[in-house]
Amino acid sequence: KQGFYIHIEFQTTDKGEEDLRRFLAYDAVYSHKTGKNVITYVIYSGGIRSVKAELNMGLFTYRIQPVYLKEKNADEVFVRMKELTKEDYAILSLTPLMSGSMQMKDKIREAIILAKRNTDLTAEKTTAMLYTLADKFLDNADLDEIKEVVAMTRIGQMLLDEGMERGMERGMERGIERGMERGFQLTKYLMDKGRMDDLKRAMEDEDYRKKLLEELDLQNNSR
């Protein structure tokens, strides 16, 4: 709304100037493409508390805005969240990367339980992002536990329906597992493409969901 773009990076490591030059390259290309200024926020986890945030480029200085999640406590976030606002959902989606007494698996599970109090698109987007973090950081056993929690959400019901349908052909248990996996892939695919309207419609329209799953299969087969 203010005429610029916000570029967000997630970092679990700090490579100093190497990272800054990479961020600068992204910003320069996108600024050239859009004709707009770009501001980069870098969200740091993994215990990182301080990084180099400026790079001297001769005639100008490139800067990022670091955000240190280690300084935020996920335990406190979970305690205070009763009625969730859109801002709360944004914070909730980042709790797995914050500090606190809970293991990452437990933080993801707790965040999903809080998010699923509502069934609107913001809650579903938060759940999808939390699952993406689970898929990135958890091992298979812990990820299976998170899938069970997600299965109780609206997205999970969509995946379960898909799995039940395919289960008639492949065996119920394998069919449900495959259906959930395909649904997660579809959610991630649409989010990566910025197609939130398609994601919302897929949750409500079974025929359109099948069409998008066919598109996803074509995309995967072309790789």
Side-chain angles (χ1 to χ4, degrees):
K1 294 180 178 180
Q2 297 179 8
F4 60 87
Y5 285 91
I6 290 178
H7 165 211
I8 299 177
E9 287 280 338
F10 291 88
Q11 287 289 116
T12 58
T13 59
D14 173 27
K15 297 182 180 179
E17 287 193 5
E18 180 181 341
D19 284 339
L20 290 173
R21 293 186 188 279
R22 177 164 56 87
F23 302 150
L24 172 60
Y26 294 159
D27 293 353
V29 171
Y30 201 68
S31 179
H32 177 69
K33 179 180 178 181
T34 62
K36 302 290 185 179
N37 291 335
V38 180
I39 298 176
T40 293
Y41 287 80
V42 184
I43 299 176
Y44 289 96
S45 61
I48 299 173
R49 295 180 181 272
S50 179
V51 300
K52 181 177 181 179
E54 297 184 355
L55 184 63
N56 186 341
M57 298 300 296
L59 293 178
F60 71 97
T61 300
Y62 174 70
R63 296 182 178 87
I64 62 167
Q65 178 60 58
V67 179
Y68 303 111
L69 290 185
K70 189 66 176 178
E71 298 176 355
K72 301 184 183 297
N73 191 307
D75 299 349
E76 296 173 0
V77 173
F78 294 140
V79 168
R80 72 174 177 81
M81 285 192 172
K82 303 299 182 182
E83 297 296 329
L84 298 176
T85 65
K86 285 191 175 182
E87 182 179 350
D88 288 332
Y89 278 113
I91 296 172
L92 192 63
S93 65
L94 296 175
T95 51
L97 303 177
M98 296 180 185
S99 63
S101 61
M102 303 169 67
Q103 296 181 355
M104 179 171 287
K105 176 192 67 176
D106 297 324
K107 286 186 282 190
I108 293 174
R109 180 174 57 215
E110 184 68 20
I112 291 174
I113 291 173
L114 287 171
K116 75 178 185 181
R117 289 179 181 176
N118 205 338
T119 58
D120 62 16
L121 184 58
T122 300
E124 299 296 349
K125 287 162 60 178
T126 301
T127 301
M129 181 169 180
L130 288 165
Y131 180 80
T132 300
L133 291 175
D135 189 49
K136 179 177 178 63
F137 291 110
L138 300 184
D139 60 27
N140 290 336
D142 288 343
L143 186 59
D144 286 341
E145 290 189 34
I146 298 303
K147 285 183 179 180
E148 292 179 6
V149 179
V150 174
M152 301 304 294
T153 67
R154 187 176 169 195
I155 288 180
Q157 186 60 53
M158 178 193 79
L159 310 185
L160 181 60
D161 292 343
E162 172 73 10
M164 291 287 285
E165 179 179 338
R166 290 178 173 269
M168 300 301 293
E169 302 173 5
R170 308 184 183 186
M172 191 63 69
E173 182 177 348
R174 176 55 185 160
I176 292 174
E177 180 182 345
R178 174 59 177 161
M180 291 183 68
E181 191 65 34
R182 279 166 53 79
F184 286 128
Q185 291 175 359
L186 177 61
T187 299
K188 186 176 185 303
Y189 171 69
L190 294 176
M191 289 185 68
D192 288 345
K193 299 289 186 180
R195 296 168 56 179
M196 303 313 301
D197 290 341
D198 286 338
L199 178 58
K200 181 178 180 181
R201 184 177 171 185
M203 295 174 187
E204 302 169 349
D205 186 331
E206 181 179 355
D207 290 337
Y208 191 65
R209 182 168 69 247
K210 289 180 179 178
K211 178 181 177 181
L212 291 175
L213 285 167
E214 291 175 359
E215 176 185 326
L216 176 64
D217 289 339
L218 289 173
Q219 176 74 16
N220 290 337
N221 290 335
S222 65
R223 291 177 181 173

